[in-house]
Amino acid sequence: MQKKKSSRTVYAVALVLFLAGFGTLLMAGLKQNSIYFLNVSEALAMPAENIQQIRLFGTVAEEGLVYDPQHMGVQFLLEDSDDASQRIAVQYRGVVPDLFQPGAEVILEGGYLVQDGVFNAKTLMTKCPSKYEAENRSG
Amino acid sequence: MHIIPYFSLLAALILSLLAAAACLHQAWEGRSRWLPWVENAQIVVCTLVTISSFFLLWAFYVKDFSLLYVSRYSDLTLPLFYRLTAFWAGQAGSMLFWAWLVVVCGTIFLFTKRYHLLGAQSRVFFWIFFLGVQSFFMYLLTGHQNPFLEISPAPLDGQGLNPLLQHPGMIIHPPTLFIGYAGFTIPACLALACWITGEKHSWIEIAHNWTLTAWIFLAAGIIIGGWWAYLELGWGGYWAWDPVENASLIPWLSSTAFLHTAIVGQGRKALGKTNVLLMVLTLVLCFMATYLVRSGVIDSLHAFGDGGVGNPLMFFMMFIMVVTALVLFFGPSRDDRPLSGLGSRQGLLVITAWIFLTLGLVVLMGTFWPVISKLWTESPLGLDAGFYNRVTLPLFVVVGALLVICPWIQWRGGVRFGKGLAVLAGIWLALGVVLWINGIRMPLAVVGASAGLAMVASLVLLFILDPSLRRRRTAWGAHGVHLGIALMFLGVAISGPYKVEVDAVLAPGESMVIQDFTVTYLEMETWSTPAMTVYAARLEIARDGQVIGELAPQRRVYRTWDRPHTKVDTRFSLGVELYATLLGFTQEDIISLRMSTQPLVNWIWIGCIIICVVGFFAVRTLKGRARDVDTEPDPATS
């Protein structure tokens, strides 16, 4: 009986220590690595200075698409996937993924350039192909 | 033509439901007279679903574009191999494939010796649960996810398969995952059935080979997915903590936890409820994975977005959990023996399992954070990859350290081969120092990589010191899996933090330098096939002035796809692998190129191959089991 009790105490102490260390990690992670997930209309409704680091979801508009072959990048208009009248101008420098095209659903990370209201995307992701959805190709 | 496969599925649904009802009736009466009838029904269902699956495969083979599914995922120019494997390129097809695997698993299990070890009542209960799961699949396939919808008039050509999916990795990845998912159905149903009936044979033992096989396939599927991302997506990594990746990792973590508690639970009546719960949880998490990937709950930002397959899956998962809770907490009670202390191997196994469960919980929570945070914020908050790295990597490193030490701890506490362990500690420390001298200075990377190498040393030492291990095939299996894990540790710990990336814009004849490699751009080559036009940049690689080879990253323009598609090229190396991506090129053949070095990345894939091959050595035979039962349990250490 005595032995059982002592081993239980050891378990409890170990668990408390583990939880304390792990809890600290988790809290720090939740605090520092969380970013807003917004669609275009939600982002437009937010004050621009709040948007320094967000993940933005939307659809690439048909017009206003300019590729920049010299510097590897693209400028385009991102429209809300449900309401095409809501738009944000986006500039992105970096590798343009293969599935990027007008009508593609994309996920951007970045923030507003405060002076001119253009969204500066640090990363540009197209929806993962494991969605297995065939592209809506015109023609 | 399309009536037959659809009605086969419908008949399979009705038959599964009837057989399940028959089992319920028998269980209620406490009889088992109808068992032969139920078993035959299962064989008929298997035949029916096989017929349907074969029809779909045949439709792809003969390019029957009147089937909506066939026209969406193939076209006239698609090679035969990709045409057949387009079977699981879409949602309905992959559901059918998964369902077919579940049905086949159940039918195979019928004919195994272990099935006949079970008491009649346990079999009746097993079929209640199993046929329930099977019926759910048939219900999906005949309703939400019907792969046999027709288009009229039939198009002359299909829409083609996304070029990203035209890669061997993407062909093997879904089926391996699905074999894993399907394989867990048997142990989960067995766990519930045997808990209810108080079966005298250990269900863990009866399901052991199923659990092991499913676990190996799931692990392989996840890693092949990573390998595919590395070679096909061109961003120079293999794991991004994307919801889609996390989805399949979560059941793997819970099943890994189960594998370790199972060792404790086997034969000794300990952790009974825990084991049942973990096994059922693993099955539920497989459905959860599909739910995450398919329902759009995460990336559409609107919970329960498109209905589709999401809601039925959600209800089904809840239903399984409610049933399990009822069975475990209101069902019969079984007595459990207390565990030995923390310092014993038993204790360490339990700790390991807890860490894996914690990891699973973190990944699950992180993935669902946009949904969870909706409770208190207007706009959902998500977590980036940094969160997962920060929280999970330290835990993985703890697992690594446990894996070095654990094999040296006795089952009931105390150390085996004290001298060996002392030598090992020295080796581990020395490895850390060597890494430090070689510029590996990040704490997690040093500990992780040295733990990986120390595991290898640990296993080798153990096999030298303990001849009895060398004689047991299952020990080779268990330790072999850990050897694979050790190599993966090494690969992940070094390749992640020490990757170097350089972008450059080059005209023909110009060079760039990355670490000690010089890359010279020779020329642009172009050729065409019926399906695509290929643009390849020829690069000459030199190291210290010596030419060591060529790379030719490509951009491909497919006939059925608007945007060009990147084909990366790599220079295979067990040390530092070179990785080239052609980002773009101009009319004047000026290319924008991204070169990166990937140190030790290939050890991840090598580790995976070892896990998959050697893992099967841990498969048990009934004969071998009878001999092992009285001795110490398999030291499937971790």
Side-chain angles (χ1 to χ4, degrees):
Chain A
M1 209 58 222
Q2 190 57 42
K3 190 164 176 247
K4 203 169 160 186
K5 255 202 178 131
S6 69
S7 78
R8 216 174 249 179
T9 320
V10 175
Y11 267 108
V13 170
L15 189 67
V16 166
L17 279 176
F18 173 75
L19 285 179
F22 173 70
T24 316
L25 269 179
L26 193 65
M27 282 324 203
L30 288 178
K31 209 177 175 131
Q32 294 174 32
N33 297 98
S34 66
I35 47 176
Y36 275 112
F37 281 21
L38 303 172
N39 55 30
V40 174
S41 53
E42 287 168 333
L44 286 169
M46 256 198 179
E49 53 271 16
N50 284 11
I51 300 190
Q52 292 316 314
Q53 182 60 26
I54 63 163
R55 189 174 290 191
L56 187 62
F57 294 72
T59 309
V60 181
E62 294 288 339
E63 62 264 27
L65 189 66
V66 184
Y67 282 104
D68 180 356
Q70 288 316 100
H71 298 111
M72 299 183 303
V74 64
Q75 292 177 350
F76 60 99
L77 291 170
L78 187 74
E79 48 186 47
D80 193 290
S81 301
D82 300 326
D83 173 8
S85 66
Q86 304 266 6
R87 289 182 166 185
I88 292 179
V90 176
Q91 66 168 47
Y92 165 75
R93 285 181 67 172
V95 189
V96 181
D98 291 325
L99 295 173
F100 181 89
Q101 60 192 2
E105 293 201 21
V106 291
I107 305 168
L108 311 167
E109 270 183 31
Y112 277 125
L113 296 169
V114 176
Q115 59 275 27
D116 51 6
V118 174
F119 187 85
N120 183 33
K122 291 193 184 68
T123 63
L124 166 64
M125 289 174 279
T126 42
K127 260 196 179 172
C128 176
S130 59
K131 291 279 168 293
Y132 298 121
E133 288 312 328
E135 305 283 304
N136 298 319
R137 279 172 296 115
S138 44
Chain B
M1 155 87 188
H2 309 320
I3 301 283
I4 297 172
Y6 181 75
F7 277 94
S8 297
L9 290 176
L10 206 58
L13 170 65
I14 293 163
L15 203 54
S16 297
L17 284 172
L18 279 176
C23 285
L24 271 172
H25 171 268
Q26 292 285 285
W28 187 254
E29 301 272 314
R31 293 195 193 146
S32 55
R33 272 187 313 140
W34 296 354
L35 262 179
W37 184 87
V38 169
E39 289 162 3
N40 287 332
Q42 175 65 25
I43 295 167
V44 174
V45 167
C46 185
T47 314
L48 288 168
V49 180
T50 307
I51 289 171
S52 296
S53 307
F54 184 76
F55 257 101
L56 189 57
L57 202 62
W58 182 252
F60 271 112
Y61 178 71
V62 299
K63 305 178 190 174
D64 177 4
F65 297 124
S66 67
L67 263 187
L68 177 65
Y69 190 82
V70 174
S71 74
R72 278 187 71 176
Y73 297 106
S74 68
D75 61 20
L76 291 170
T77 57
L78 196 65
L80 178 68
F81 176 70
Y82 288 124
R83 248 194 0 255
L84 296 183
T85 51
F87 188 110
W88 51 75
Q91 195 169 313
S94 34
M95 273 290 172
L96 176 61
F97 184 69
W98 182 2
W100 178 75
L101 286 168
V102 168
V103 172
V104 168
C105 281
T107 313
I108 292 174
F109 183 57
L110 253 184
F111 291 105
T112 58
K113 286 204 185 84
R114 282 183 173 78
Y115 172 76
H116 294 287
L117 286 179
L118 288 171
Q121 273 303 299
S122 301
R123 282 187 237 174
V124 169
F125 275 99
F126 167 79
W127 286 115
I128 292 177
F129 295 119
F130 189 84
L131 290 166
V133 174
Q134 200 166 282
S135 306
F136 172 72
F137 274 107
M138 298 304 137
Y139 156 75
L140 279 185
L141 288 169
T142 48
H144 292 278
Q145 299 291 323
N146 178 5
F148 297 106
L149 292 172
E150 284 186 62
I151 339 177
S152 168
L156 296 173
D157 193 358
Q159 297 182 357
L161 185 65
N162 183 333
L164 280 172
L165 301 179
Q166 297 183 33
H167 178 274
M170 215 46 192
I171 298 310
I172 319 167
H173 163 75
T176 40
L177 275 188
F178 286 130
I179 291 172
Y181 291 172
F184 284 125
T185 316
I186 303 266
C189 296
L190 267 177
L192 287 172
C194 294
W195 181 265
I196 292 173
T197 58
E199 175 66 38
K200 67 177 194 297
H201 291 93
S202 158
W203 68 267
I204 295 176
E205 191 43 52
I206 288 181
H208 174 269
N209 291 348
W210 290 97
T211 318
L212 181 76
T213 309
W215 181 88
I216 290 173
F217 272 99
L218 189 54
I222 294 168
I223 300 163
I224 290 168
W227 175 67
W228 168 82
Y230 175 77
L231 285 179
E232 199 64 18
L233 295 181
W235 53 272
Y238 46 84
W239 194 260
W241 296 106
D242 182 271
V244 173
E245 295 167 342
N246 295 351
S248 51
L249 182 67
I250 299 165
W252 184 83
L253 290 167
S254 77
S255 59
T256 309
F258 168 81
L259 285 180
H260 294 96
T261 53
I263 301 166
V264 180
Q266 208 162 41
R268 276 163 311 288
K269 300 235 184 265
L271 298 178
K273 272 186 187 171
T274 312
N275 280 325
V276 175
L277 191 63
L278 281 179
M279 194 64 245
V280 178
L281 188 68
T282 298
L283 181 66
V284 170
L285 288 170
C286 292
F287 287 110
M288 171 73 80
T290 307
Y291 173 75
L292 259 177
V293 176
R294 300 292 183 210
S295 71
V297 62
I298 297 301
D299 57 335
S300 71
L301 300 183
H302 304 290
F304 318 110
D306 63 346
V309 72
N311 290 346
L313 266 174
M314 195 76 201
F315 287 124
F316 186 62
M317 287 188 288
M318 286 181 178
F319 179 70
I320 298 182
M321 285 324 277
V322 168
V323 168
T324 309
L326 287 175
V327 168
L328 287 181
F329 299 104
F330 298 98
S333 61
R334 312 256 172 256
D335 50 339
D336 260 1
R337 274 198 222 154
L339 295 169
S340 352
L342 267 186
S344 65
R345 185 179 304 169
Q346 238 184 2
L348 291 176
L349 283 171
V350 174
I351 291 173
T352 306
W354 271 108
I355 295 178
F356 274 113
L357 266 185
T358 312
L359 281 165
L361 194 69
V362 169
V363 179
L364 186 70
M365 193 189 82
T367 311
F368 273 99
W369 199 245
V371 180
I372 300 169
S373 65
K374 276 282 228 196
L375 294 172
W376 64 87
T377 63
E378 183 65 29
S379 310
L381 277 167
L383 296 164
D384 56 13
F387 166 81
Y388 297 99
N389 288 335
R390 181 199 296 259
V391 181
T392 61
L393 293 182
L395 288 178
F396 275 117
V397 167
V398 172
V399 170
L402 278 174
L403 183 45
V404 179
I405 297 161
C406 212
W408 303 84
I409 306 294
Q410 300 270 34
W411 190 250
R412 302 225 172 278
V415 177
R416 288 198 288 182
F417 312 120
K419 278 188 189 145
L421 186 58
V423 170
L424 180 67
I427 293 176
W428 191 357
L429 197 67
L431 286 168
V433 172
V434 168
L435 287 170
W436 178 269
I437 290 168
N438 281 310
I440 309 287
R441 307 245 161 127
M442 288 181 185
L444 279 177
V446 172
V447 181
S450 63
L453 289 165
M455 281 174 226
V456 179
S458 161
L459 295 172
V460 171
L461 267 178
L462 204 66
F463 269 66
I464 292 170
L465 291 171
D466 186 356
S468 73
L469 278 182
R470 297 201 288 268
R471 285 195 296 272
R472 283 220 308 276
R473 180 174 52 89
T474 49
W476 280 96
H479 288 299
V481 166
H482 290 114
L483 182 70
I485 298 270
L487 297 178
M488 287 184 65
F489 253 87
L490 179 68
V492 172
I494 303 291
S495 72
Y498 296 100
K499 183 174 91 173
V500 176
E501 224 170 49
V502 181
D503 288 0
V505 176
L506 302 174
E510 289 183 340
S511 299
M512 65 181 282
V513 174
I514 176 165
Q515 289 187 300
D516 48 1
F517 296 97
T518 308
V519 180
T520 310
Y521 168 41
L522 302 173
E523 58 171 349
M524 197 78 182
E525 288 181 340
T526 311
W527 66 90
S528 288
T529 72
M532 64 184 120
T533 308
V534 180
Y535 303 89
R538 280 185 56 210
L539 309 171
E540 187 180 74
I541 313 294
R543 193 173 194 168
D544 311 324
Q546 295 285 316
V547 175
I548 51 172
E550 279 198 11
L551 284 175
Q554 304 173 352
R555 300 279 283 173
R556 295 176 171 185
V557 180
Y558 284 81
R559 191 180 58 89
T560 51
W561 234 255
D562 306 344
R563 286 277 308 163
H565 173 76
T566 309
K567 251 317 205 214
V568 302
D569 200 6
T570 59
R571 189 176 169 278
F572 177 86
S573 159
L574 291 178
V576 178
E577 173 152 307
L578 264 182
Y579 183 97
T581 316
L582 182 58
L583 302 174
F585 54 90
T586 63
Q587 300 286 345
E588 297 81 42
D589 283 356
I590 292 173
I591 57 167
S592 29
L593 180 69
R594 166 171 293 177
M595 294 296 302
S596 58
T597 54
Q598 311 271 355
L600 305 187
V601 70
N602 282 311
W603 291 100
I604 300 173
W605 326 132
I606 293 169
C608 170
I609 291 166
I610 291 177
I611 291 171
C612 299
V613 175
V614 184
F616 285 109
F617 284 115
V619 163
R620 290 181 200 147
T621 53
L622 282 173
K623 226 170 32 203
R625 212 36 228 168
R627 206 178 46 234
D628 274 354
V629 146
D630 313 321
T631 56
E632 194 185 302
D634 271 341
T637 49
S638 170

